[in-house]
Each structure stands twice: as structure tokens, then as C-alpha cells.
Amino acid sequence: MNSGFSRRRILAGLLSGAGTALLTGCDRMTQSTAFGTVLRNTEKLTMSSQRLLLDRQSLAREYSVADLSPVFRANGTQAPDSDEYNRLLENEFVDWRLQVDGLVQQPLSLSLAQLKSLPSRTQITRHDCVEGWSAIGQWQGVPLGQILDLARLKPGARYVVLHCADELEVTFDGSGRYYESIDLLDAYHPQTILAYAMNGKNLPVAHGAPLRLRVERQLGYKQAKYLMRIEVVSSFDTLWGGRGGYWEDRGYEWYAGI
């Protein structure tokens, strides 16, 4: 067992009691303003502690093919309830494009074929869900940092916002649409990839086809599925609930490091 993984396990042990207890009853507890304040203070402690203990480039543990879970449950949306998404799916995502914009010098519109033609990374890692279950899967995709380099970040870029096809609540202002965000430190981590394959096959719909985020040092709800657009921003304060993600707007921690 490498020292980086040992430190992650120690940190997880120190923080999981409070973090898991807080998040398990999230739907009920996040209605409390006081709870929200406690949660945000805990998040700052978690993020500061982990980044003090772990090297910026330290890797999440990787496994062998023999360790793959026989069943890797799909969590959250199983398929977006979207006419646009269904049209793309019917055509096997030939017309799908990943838009990359915001604080970039070169906005991009990349097809799935173009993404697959870029240098890729394959990794076998453990997915840890906030609900308490874990599974090991193999992911292949393009390092997110490579895409950001192609787009050439502008000064002031701090966060990467991932906009998804699934809408969990039908709203007029788009606040029910799933989105996530990470900072540039995590975006450029070597294990942070835009995955288009799982266990040696094209990414299944239930797991986020055609493209999903894998940010291996964070919990499952950060692994945004059904990616449509990447927006580089200086702040996410003005995006919907202002906390940087669909679940974060409803009380979850923005930084979900493990």
C-alpha cells in the first residue's frame, strides 16, 4: 500500500464519521439554515486538511482487472428525460458535440470521434458513493487538462463547470438541470478524465453516455454524467444556487474529497 493511499485512508477515517452522518439524511437536514452553515464549515476543514496532507499530484489507488466489481450500480439519472438527448442517442451520438467555452481563448466544439482520437488514459478505480456503497470500474477517456490546454485558458480562470443533459427538476430557470464544478487543481490532476468507455466498452447510457467526468479523489456525486458543455469561469456564485453544483445548491458539500 503506497503512502498516498494510506494518508487518504487516515483522512477518510477522521472525517467520514461527520461527513457521512451529515450527508446520509441530506434531504431532510438541508432544509435547516444552521445545518447549512455547519456543513460549509466542515467542507472548508475537509478541503484544507486533505490538501495539506496530500500531494497535489498524488493518485487515488488504482486496481487490476481482477478487482473489477461484478455489478457496478448506476446511481442518479438512468437516462435523461430530454428530447434532445434521445435524438442524439438514436443516432449513436454522431451529432453530439462537447462545447468548451467561457474564459478560454479558443472555444471548442468536439465530436465524440474527435475526443476518441486524442491521447487517452485508462484507469481502474473505486467509485465511492455518498450513500455508502462502492464499486470498482475501469474508465477510459481524455484527460480534462488536455482539453483545457487546447482551449487555452484566459487569465482569471479558476473553475471548470460541467453542464449535463439531465434535468432532475423541471424548472423555468434551469436550476433543476444537473451541473457540477471543480477547481483547476482537480481539473489538471492526472486521473481527472472525460470518460467515454467503461470496462472496455462504450460508456452505457445508465453510466452517463456519451461522456462523463471522472475526478477520482472525490465522491460519486461529483462524477457528472451526460456531459454537454464545459464552461471555464472565475466564480460560480451567479450560477443557479451559487454553490457550484446541483446537489451543492441543495446542501451537499462542494468539495467532496476522499
Side-chain angles (χ1 to χ4, degrees):
M1 182 178 296
N2 63 49
S3 60
F5 180 63
S6 298
R7 290 196 299 270
R8 290 176 70 245
R9 290 295 297 272
I10 292 169
L11 181 63
L14 290 173
L15 298 174
S16 62
T20 303
L22 289 171
L23 291 172
T24 299
C26 188
D27 289 343
R28 172 170 46 85
M29 296 175 68
T30 53
Q31 304 304 314
S32 164
T33 301
F35 170 74
T37 301
V38 171
L39 190 60
R40 286 187 289 277
N41 288 337
T42 302
E43 172 190 358
K44 292 176 182 177
L45 173 62
T46 302
M47 181 173 177
S48 298
S49 299
Q50 185 180 48
R51 288 189 169 169
L52 279 173
L53 289 173
L54 301 183
D55 182 85
R56 291 188 176 194
Q57 297 299 303
S58 64
L59 301 180
R61 181 179 177 183
E62 296 193 16
Y63 298 81
S64 71
V65 172
D67 298 313
L68 290 174
S69 297
V71 176
F72 195 125
R73 65 183 279 191
N75 206 24
T77 302
Q78 307 297 299
D81 183 16
S82 159
D83 290 339
E84 178 187 8
Y85 181 84
N86 287 329
R87 284 194 297 270
L88 294 169
L89 175 60
E90 287 175 5
N91 201 24
E92 298 182 341
F93 300 110
V94 171
D95 299 323
W96 172 90
R97 296 292 184 275
L98 176 68
Q99 306 297 327
V100 183
D101 55 27
L103 290 177
V104 299
Q105 298 179 52
Q106 181 60 59
L108 303 173
S109 179
L110 300 169
S111 69
L112 190 57
Q114 287 174 314
L115 287 170
K116 288 183 176 182
S117 72
L118 295 172
S120 68
R121 176 184 172 90
T122 300
Q123 57 201 31
I124 299 177
T125 54
R126 190 181 69 190
H127 178 101
D128 292 307
C129 181
V130 72
E131 295 175 352
W133 60 269
S134 298
I136 295 173
Q138 181 187 70
W139 310 95
Q140 180 184 2
V142 182
L144 175 54
Q146 186 179 152
I147 301 300
L148 298 179
D149 285 344
L150 287 174
R152 304 202 311 274
L153 301 183
K154 288 183 177 180
R158 292 186 60 196
Y159 302 98
V160 175
V161 181
L162 303 117
H163 299 270
C164 306
D166 48 333
E167 188 169 10
L168 301 189
E169 299 174 22
V170 178
T171 60
F172 291 107
D173 64 357
S175 62
R177 190 168 295 279
Y178 203 91
Y179 78 106
E180 258 305 339
S181 63
I182 56 176
D183 64 15
L184 292 184
L185 190 154
D186 278 321
Y188 275 96
H189 187 272
Q191 289 175 313
T192 299
I193 64 174
L194 303 178
Y196 49 70
M198 177 184 182
N199 293 344
K201 299 178 180 179
N202 287 336
L203 194 64
V205 169
H207 286 283
L211 196 71
R212 71 174 296 165
L213 177 71
R214 293 301 307 177
V215 53
E216 301 297 353
R217 300 193 302 178
Q218 298 208 39
L219 289 170
Y221 65 87
K222 300 295 289 190
Q223 325 291 330
K225 303 194 294 186
Y226 313 113
L227 296 183
M228 300 294 287
R229 176 187 174 208
I230 290 175
E231 180 185 12
V232 180
V233 299
S234 59
S235 169
F236 47 69
D237 292 351
T238 60
L239 292 174
W240 296 296
R243 301 200 184 281
Y246 175 87
W247 287 114
E248 290 87 331
D249 289 341
R250 290 153 179 80
Y252 277 46
E253 296 181 351
W254 175 77
Y255 185 72
I258 51 177

